[in-house]
């Protein structure tokens, strides 16, 4: 129950006031600012809960098809398990090499993890209301979250912030999408 409160608290904080949340994570010697703590108490429990939700949601309705329910939840869990590593790799290789910028690995892991958790939330909400198609556009709030954290948390200069925001949004948005498409091709 404590982890659920923690997840809700940080998601709401990240949505309501991302700049203040990034500043809190940067300044404080709080456990939430450690990648291992964030992953074990926030990211992975959220990943499991939403994966379970998608499994139940896929089987809800007229007939329960265990195969499609398993495929949807496994592809989601795999996509969001691999996506942080892929997004970090893209950011380090493309932005880091092109702009000659060295990332703090722990901060980048936190940054990508918290941003991807927002995308997981959007995915859960859009799966909850499949007839309301425009809910997927809620993910377009992610560039603002990235924009606020780029300078405050990561240390990107003001003049480079928009380039980093575009690349980070692309990396974080397409990483789970790409992995999920590969999983669906493999599971045919």
């Amino acid at each position: 129950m404590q982890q659920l409160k923690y997840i809700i608290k940080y998601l709401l904080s990240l949505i309501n006031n991302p700049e203040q949340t990034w500043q809190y994570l940067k300044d404080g010697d709080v456990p939430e600012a450690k990648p291992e703590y964030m992953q074990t108490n926030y990211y992975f429990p959220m990943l499991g809960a939403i994966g379970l939700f998608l499994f139940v949601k896929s089987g809800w309705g007229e007939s329960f098809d265990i195969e499609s329910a398993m495929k949807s939840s496994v592809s989601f869990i795999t996509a969001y398990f691999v996506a942080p590593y892929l997004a970090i790799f893209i950011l380090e290789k493309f932005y880091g090499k092109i702009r000659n910028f060295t990332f703090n690995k722990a901060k980048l892991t936190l940054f990508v993890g918290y941003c991807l958790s927002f995308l997981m939330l959007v995915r859960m909400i859009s799966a909850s209301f499949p007839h309301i198609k425009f809910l997927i556009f809620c993910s377009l709030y992610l560039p603002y979250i990235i924009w606020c954290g780029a300078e405050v948390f990561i240390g990107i200069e003001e003049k480079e912030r928009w380039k980093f925001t575009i690349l980070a949004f692309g990396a974080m948005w397409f990483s789970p999408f790409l992995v999920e498409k590969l999983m669906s091709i493999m599971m045919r």
Side-chain angles (χ1 to χ4, degrees):
M1 202 50 143
Q2 188 67 19
Q3 287 178 331
L4 183 60
K5 289 179 185 177
Y6 175 70
I7 290 169
I8 292 170
K9 174 188 169 192
Y10 273 93
L11 273 174
L12 290 177
S13 177
L14 201 59
I15 292 167
N16 291 332
N17 197 343
E19 196 164 334
Q20 183 180 358
T21 305
W22 291 124
Q23 189 66 44
Y24 172 75
L25 290 171
K26 178 186 176 197
D27 291 343
D29 285 331
V30 292
E32 296 88 356
K34 293 178 179 48
E36 300 82 23
Y37 187 87
M38 184 272 298
Q39 289 172 337
T40 57
N41 293 308
Y42 180 77
Y43 191 80
F44 293 140
M46 186 175 176
L47 180 63
I50 294 175
L52 179 63
F53 171 79
L54 290 174
F55 176 80
V56 171
K57 179 77 172 118
S58 296
W60 214 267
E62 297 160 14
S63 64
F64 181 72
D65 182 19
I66 189 83
E67 182 181 356
S68 67
M70 285 295 290
K71 282 181 180 180
S72 71
S73 63
V74 167
S75 65
F76 172 82
I77 290 172
T78 304
Y80 280 92
F81 184 79
V82 174
Y85 303 107
L86 185 57
I88 289 168
F89 176 78
I90 291 169
L91 288 172
E92 284 181 332
K93 293 302 173 197
F94 288 99
Y95 189 84
K97 296 281 186 196
I98 293 170
R99 296 289 171 204
N100 207 11
F101 185 83
T102 305
F103 288 101
N104 178 332
K105 186 78 167 179
K107 283 188 176 185
L108 189 59
T109 303
L110 280 170
F111 186 75
V112 170
Y114 281 117
C115 289
L116 283 174
S117 66
F118 172 74
L119 286 180
M120 283 193 283
L121 177 69
V122 170
R123 176 78 182 271
M124 185 183 84
I125 292 170
S126 62
S128 299
F129 305 103
H131 301 298
I132 306 174
K133 300 292 184 197
F134 71 87
L135 285 176
I136 197 69
F137 292 112
C138 292
S139 64
L140 294 177
Y141 186 70
L142 183 61
Y144 178 67
I145 294 172
I146 294 170
W147 176 267
C148 290
E151 186 176 18
V152 173
F153 191 71
I154 298 293
I156 304 294
E157 295 177 11
E158 179 69 35
K159 62 182 180 178
E160 294 289 319
R161 200 158 62 155
W162 68 272
K163 295 173 189 170
F164 175 78
T165 300
I166 291 170
L167 182 64
F169 175 69
M172 289 182 220
W173 201 80
F174 283 110
S175 293
F177 176 76
L178 179 67
V179 174
E180 204 160 354
K181 288 302 171 194
L182 287 172
M183 288 296 296
S184 68
I185 290 169
M186 290 171 33
M187 285 195 240
R188 284 188 192 168

